PDB file of all heavy atoms in Angstrom:
ATOM      1  N   GLY A 192     -55.334  62.083 -68.550  1.00 97.00           N
ATOM      2  CA  GLY A 192     -54.266  61.394 -69.260  1.00 97.00           C
ATOM      3  C   GLY A 192     -53.788  62.053 -70.527  1.00 97.00           C
ATOM      4  O   GLY A 192     -52.872  61.547 -71.169  1.00 97.00           O
ATOM      5  N   HIS A 193     -54.363  63.189 -70.890  1.00 98.00           N
ATOM      6  CA  HIS A 193     -53.980  63.846 -72.134  1.00 98.00           C
ATOM      7  C   HIS A 193     -52.918  64.925 -71.968  1.00 98.00           C
ATOM      8  O   HIS A 193     -52.194  65.204 -72.926  1.00 98.00           O
ATOM      9  CB  HIS A 193     -55.207  64.493 -72.785  1.00 98.00           C
ATOM     10  CG  HIS A 193     -56.128  63.526 -73.467  1.00 98.00           C
ATOM     11  ND1 HIS A 193     -55.715  62.341 -74.007  1.00 98.00           N
ATOM     12  CD2 HIS A 193     -57.464  63.590 -73.700  1.00 98.00           C
ATOM     13  CE1 HIS A 193     -56.741  61.708 -74.545  1.00 98.00           C
ATOM     14  NE2 HIS A 193     -57.816  62.446 -74.369  1.00 98.00           N
ATOM     15  N   PHE A 194     -52.834  65.578 -70.810  1.00 98.00           N
ATOM     16  CA  PHE A 194     -52.015  66.785 -70.684  1.00 98.00           C
ATOM     17  C   PHE A 194     -51.142  66.736 -69.427  1.00 98.00           C
ATOM     18  O   PHE A 194     -51.646  66.602 -68.318  1.00 98.00           O
ATOM     19  CB  PHE A 194     -52.904  68.031 -70.624  1.00 98.00           C
ATOM     20  CG  PHE A 194     -53.854  68.155 -71.780  1.00 98.00           C
ATOM     21  CD1 PHE A 194     -55.206  67.861 -71.624  1.00 98.00           C
ATOM     22  CD2 PHE A 194     -53.405  68.557 -73.029  1.00 98.00           C
ATOM     23  CE1 PHE A 194     -56.092  67.971 -72.678  1.00 98.00           C
ATOM     24  CE2 PHE A 194     -54.285  68.671 -74.100  1.00 98.00           C
ATOM     25  CZ  PHE A 194     -55.633  68.376 -73.929  1.00 98.00           C
ATOM     26  N   ALA A 195     -49.831  66.925 -69.625  1.00 98.00           N
ATOM     27  CA  ALA A 195     -48.895  66.918 -68.505  1.00 98.00           C
ATOM     28  C   ALA A 195     -48.625  68.316 -67.962  1.00 98.00           C
ATOM     29  O   ALA A 195     -48.041  68.460 -66.887  1.00 98.00           O
ATOM     30  CB  ALA A 195     -47.571  66.278 -68.924  1.00 98.00           C
ATOM     31  N   SER A 196     -49.039  69.344 -68.693  1.00 98.00           N
ATOM     32  CA  SER A 196     -48.831  70.724 -68.257  1.00 98.00           C
ATOM     33  C   SER A 196     -50.086  71.517 -68.560  1.00 98.00           C
ATOM     34  O   SER A 196     -50.703  71.350 -69.616  1.00 98.00           O
ATOM     35  CB  SER A 196     -47.639  71.348 -68.995  1.00 98.00           C
ATOM     36  OG  SER A 196     -47.477  72.718 -68.668  1.00 98.00           O
ATOM     37  N   VAL A 197     -50.480  72.394 -67.608  1.00 99.00           N
ATOM     38  CA  VAL A 197     -51.660  73.229 -67.801  1.00 99.00           C
ATOM     39  C   VAL A 197     -51.354  74.640 -67.320  1.00 99.00           C
ATOM     40  O   VAL A 197     -50.729  74.830 -66.280  1.00 99.00           O
ATOM     41  CB  VAL A 197     -52.893  72.657 -67.067  1.00 99.00           C
ATOM     42  CG1 VAL A 197     -52.631  72.453 -65.587  1.00 99.00           C
ATOM     43  CG2 VAL A 197     -54.114  73.545 -67.282  1.00 99.00           C
ATOM     44  N   SER A 198     -51.784  75.623 -68.110  1.00 98.00           N
ATOM     45  CA  SER A 198     -51.521  77.023 -67.791  1.00 98.00           C
ATOM     46  C   SER A 198     -52.787  77.837 -67.990  1.00 98.00           C
ATOM     47  O   SER A 198     -53.515  77.635 -68.961  1.00 98.00           O
ATOM     48  CB  SER A 198     -50.423  77.584 -68.697  1.00 98.00           C
ATOM     49  OG  SER A 198     -49.331  76.697 -68.803  1.00 98.00           O
ATOM     50  N   SER A 199     -53.021  78.766 -67.077  1.00 98.00           N
ATOM     51  CA  SER A 199     -54.182  79.646 -67.173  1.00 98.00           C
ATOM     52  C   SER A 199     -53.731  81.083 -66.984  1.00 98.00           C
ATOM     53  O   SER A 199     -53.317  81.475 -65.896  1.00 98.00           O
ATOM     54  CB  SER A 199     -55.232  79.280 -66.114  1.00 98.00           C
ATOM     55  OG  SER A 199     -56.362  80.114 -66.226  1.00 98.00           O
ATOM     56  N   HIS A 200     -53.808  81.856 -68.053  1.00 98.00           N
ATOM     57  CA  HIS A 200     -53.450  83.271 -68.028  1.00 98.00           C
ATOM     58  C   HIS A 200     -54.738  84.080 -67.877  1.00 98.00           C
ATOM     59  O   HIS A 200     -55.534  84.186 -68.815  1.00 98.00           O
ATOM     60  CB  HIS A 200     -52.713  83.656 -69.306  1.00 98.00           C
ATOM     61  CG  HIS A 200     -51.385  82.982 -69.461  1.00 98.00           C
ATOM     62  ND1 HIS A 200     -50.190  83.617 -69.204  1.00 98.00           N
ATOM     63  CD2 HIS A 200     -51.064  81.711 -69.817  1.00 98.00           C
ATOM     64  CE1 HIS A 200     -49.190  82.779 -69.416  1.00 98.00           C
ATOM     65  NE2 HIS A 200     -49.700  81.616 -69.793  1.00 98.00           N
ATOM     66  N   SER A 201     -54.958  84.595 -66.688  1.00 98.00           N
ATOM     67  CA  SER A 201     -56.180  85.347 -66.365  1.00 98.00           C
ATOM     68  C   SER A 201     -57.435  84.536 -66.663  1.00 98.00           C
ATOM     69  O   SER A 201     -58.451  85.081 -67.115  1.00 98.00           O
ATOM     70  CB  SER A 201     -56.215  86.681 -67.117  1.00 98.00           C
ATOM     71  OG  SER A 201     -55.263  87.576 -66.578  1.00 98.00           O
ATOM     72  N   GLY A 202     -57.378  83.249 -66.398  1.00 98.00           N
ATOM     73  CA  GLY A 202     -58.534  82.388 -66.571  1.00 98.00           C
ATOM     74  C   GLY A 202     -59.188  82.077 -65.241  1.00 98.00           C
ATOM     75  O   GLY A 202     -58.507  81.826 -64.246  1.00 98.00           O
ATOM     76  N   PRO A 203     -60.531  82.080 -65.169  1.00 98.00           N
ATOM     77  CA  PRO A 203     -61.220  81.773 -63.912  1.00 98.00           C
ATOM     78  C   PRO A 203     -61.018  80.318 -63.510  1.00 98.00           C
ATOM     79  O   PRO A 203     -60.955  79.427 -64.356  1.00 98.00           O
ATOM     80  CB  PRO A 203     -62.687  82.066 -64.230  1.00 98.00           C
ATOM     81  CG  PRO A 203     -62.787  81.999 -65.713  1.00 98.00           C
ATOM     82  CD  PRO A 203     -61.461  82.421 -66.261  1.00 98.00           C
ATOM     83  N   ALA A 204     -60.926  80.099 -62.198  1.00 98.00           N
ATOM     84  CA  ALA A 204     -60.665  78.753 -61.680  1.00 98.00           C
ATOM     85  C   ALA A 204     -61.728  78.297 -60.697  1.00 98.00           C
ATOM     86  O   ALA A 204     -61.600  77.225 -60.115  1.00 98.00           O
ATOM     87  CB  ALA A 204     -59.285  78.717 -60.999  1.00 98.00           C
ATOM     88  N   SER A 205     -62.764  79.109 -60.486  1.00 98.00           N
ATOM     89  CA  SER A 205     -63.814  78.766 -59.524  1.00 98.00           C
ATOM     90  C   SER A 205     -65.168  79.161 -60.102  1.00 98.00           C
ATOM     91  O   SER A 205     -65.429  80.336 -60.354  1.00 98.00           O
ATOM     92  CB  SER A 205     -63.578  79.482 -58.192  1.00 98.00           C
ATOM     93  OG  SER A 205     -64.610  79.193 -57.272  1.00 98.00           O
ATOM     94  N   LEU A 206     -66.036  78.173 -60.315  1.00 98.00           N
ATOM     95  CA  LEU A 206     -67.346  78.424 -60.904  1.00 98.00           C
ATOM     96  C   LEU A 206     -68.425  78.764 -59.879  1.00 98.00           C
ATOM     97  O   LEU A 206     -69.449  79.345 -60.233  1.00 98.00           O
ATOM     98  CB  LEU A 206     -67.799  77.200 -61.710  1.00 98.00           C
ATOM     99  CG  LEU A 206     -67.010  76.864 -62.968  1.00 98.00           C
ATOM    100  CD1 LEU A 206     -67.578  75.606 -63.632  1.00 98.00           C
ATOM    101  CD2 LEU A 206     -67.007  78.028 -63.952  1.00 98.00           C
ATOM    102  N   ARG A 207     -68.233  78.388 -58.616  1.00 97.00           N
ATOM    103  CA  ARG A 207     -69.320  78.519 -57.643  1.00 97.00           C
ATOM    104  C   ARG A 207     -69.150  79.679 -56.667  1.00 97.00           C
ATOM    105  O   ARG A 207     -70.111  80.034 -55.974  1.00 97.00           O
ATOM    106  CB  ARG A 207     -69.456  77.206 -56.857  1.00 97.00           C
ATOM    107  CG  ARG A 207     -69.881  76.028 -57.725  1.00 97.00           C
ATOM    108  CD  ARG A 207     -70.181  74.808 -56.857  1.00 97.00           C
ATOM    109  NE  ARG A 207     -70.559  73.651 -57.639  1.00 97.00           N
ATOM    110  CZ  ARG A 207     -71.785  73.404 -58.101  1.00 97.00           C
ATOM    111  NH1 ARG A 207     -72.759  74.255 -57.848  1.00 97.00           N
ATOM    112  NH2 ARG A 207     -72.036  72.322 -58.805  1.00 97.00           N
ATOM    113  N   ARG A 208     -67.969  80.271 -56.584  1.00 96.00           N
ATOM    114  CA  ARG A 208     -67.775  81.335 -55.611  1.00 96.00           C
ATOM    115  C   ARG A 208     -68.639  82.545 -55.960  1.00 96.00           C
ATOM    116  O   ARG A 208     -69.041  82.739 -57.108  1.00 96.00           O
ATOM    117  CB  ARG A 208     -66.299  81.726 -55.504  1.00 96.00           C
ATOM    118  CG  ARG A 208     -65.729  82.441 -56.719  1.00 96.00           C
ATOM    119  CD  ARG A 208     -64.297  82.952 -56.476  1.00 96.00           C
ATOM    120  NE  ARG A 208     -64.292  83.946 -55.426  1.00 96.00           N
ATOM    121  CZ  ARG A 208     -63.795  83.734 -54.203  1.00 96.00           C
ATOM    122  NH1 ARG A 208     -63.254  82.579 -53.886  1.00 96.00           N
ATOM    123  NH2 ARG A 208     -63.834  84.688 -53.297  1.00 96.00           N
ATOM    124  N   ASP A 209     -68.893  83.383 -54.964  1.00 96.00           N
ATOM    125  CA  ASP A 209     -69.702  84.594 -55.148  1.00 96.00           C
ATOM    126  C   ASP A 209     -71.024  84.273 -55.841  1.00 96.00           C
ATOM    127  O   ASP A 209     -71.416  84.912 -56.829  1.00 96.00           O
ATOM    128  CB  ASP A 209     -68.929  85.650 -55.942  1.00 96.00           C
ATOM    129  CG  ASP A 209     -67.685  86.134 -55.199  1.00 96.00           C
ATOM    130  OD1 ASP A 209     -67.684  86.073 -53.955  1.00 96.00           O
ATOM    131  OD2 ASP A 209     -66.717  86.542 -55.860  1.00 96.00           O
ATOM    132  N   ALA A 210     -71.720  83.267 -55.306  1.00 96.00           N
ATOM    133  CA  ALA A 210     -73.033  82.843 -55.812  1.00 96.00           C
ATOM    134  C   ALA A 210     -72.973  82.376 -57.260  1.00 96.00           C
ATOM    135  O   ALA A 210     -73.946  82.495 -58.006  1.00 96.00           O
ATOM    136  CB  ALA A 210     -74.057  83.952 -55.637  1.00 96.00           C
ATOM    137  N   GLY A 211     -71.815  81.853 -57.661  1.00 97.00           N
ATOM    138  CA  GLY A 211     -71.694  81.312 -59.012  1.00 97.00           C
ATOM    139  C   GLY A 211     -71.574  82.370 -60.086  1.00 97.00           C
ATOM    140  O   GLY A 211     -72.088  82.196 -61.199  1.00 97.00           O
ATOM    141  N   LEU A 212     -70.850  83.460 -59.793  1.00 96.00           N
ATOM    142  CA  LEU A 212     -70.768  84.577 -60.736  1.00 96.00           C
ATOM    143  C   LEU A 212     -70.214  84.138 -62.094  1.00 96.00           C
ATOM    144  O   LEU A 212     -70.737  84.537 -63.149  1.00 96.00           O
ATOM    145  CB  LEU A 212     -69.903  85.687 -60.144  1.00 96.00           C
ATOM    146  CG  LEU A 212     -69.778  86.966 -60.982  1.00 96.00           C
ATOM    147  CD1 LEU A 212     -71.146  87.581 -61.221  1.00 96.00           C
ATOM    148  CD2 LEU A 212     -68.848  87.966 -60.300  1.00 96.00           C
ATOM    149  N   VAL A 213     -69.166  83.312 -62.097  1.00 97.00           N
ATOM    150  CA  VAL A 213     -68.572  82.892 -63.367  1.00 97.00           C
ATOM    151  C   VAL A 213     -69.541  82.001 -64.147  1.00 97.00           C
ATOM    152  O   VAL A 213     -69.656  82.113 -65.374  1.00 97.00           O
ATOM    153  CB  VAL A 213     -67.223  82.168 -63.126  1.00 97.00           C
ATOM    154  CG1 VAL A 213     -66.698  81.572 -64.430  1.00 97.00           C
ATOM    155  CG2 VAL A 213     -66.195  83.138 -62.555  1.00 97.00           C
TER     156      VAL A 213
END
Side-chain angles (χ1 to χ4, degrees):
H193 284 332
F194 305 104
S196 175
V197 56
S198 315
S199 181
H200 295 258
S201 288
S205 178
L206 293 179
R207 295 188 181 277
R208 70 173 296 108
D209 296 333
L212 183 59
V213 173

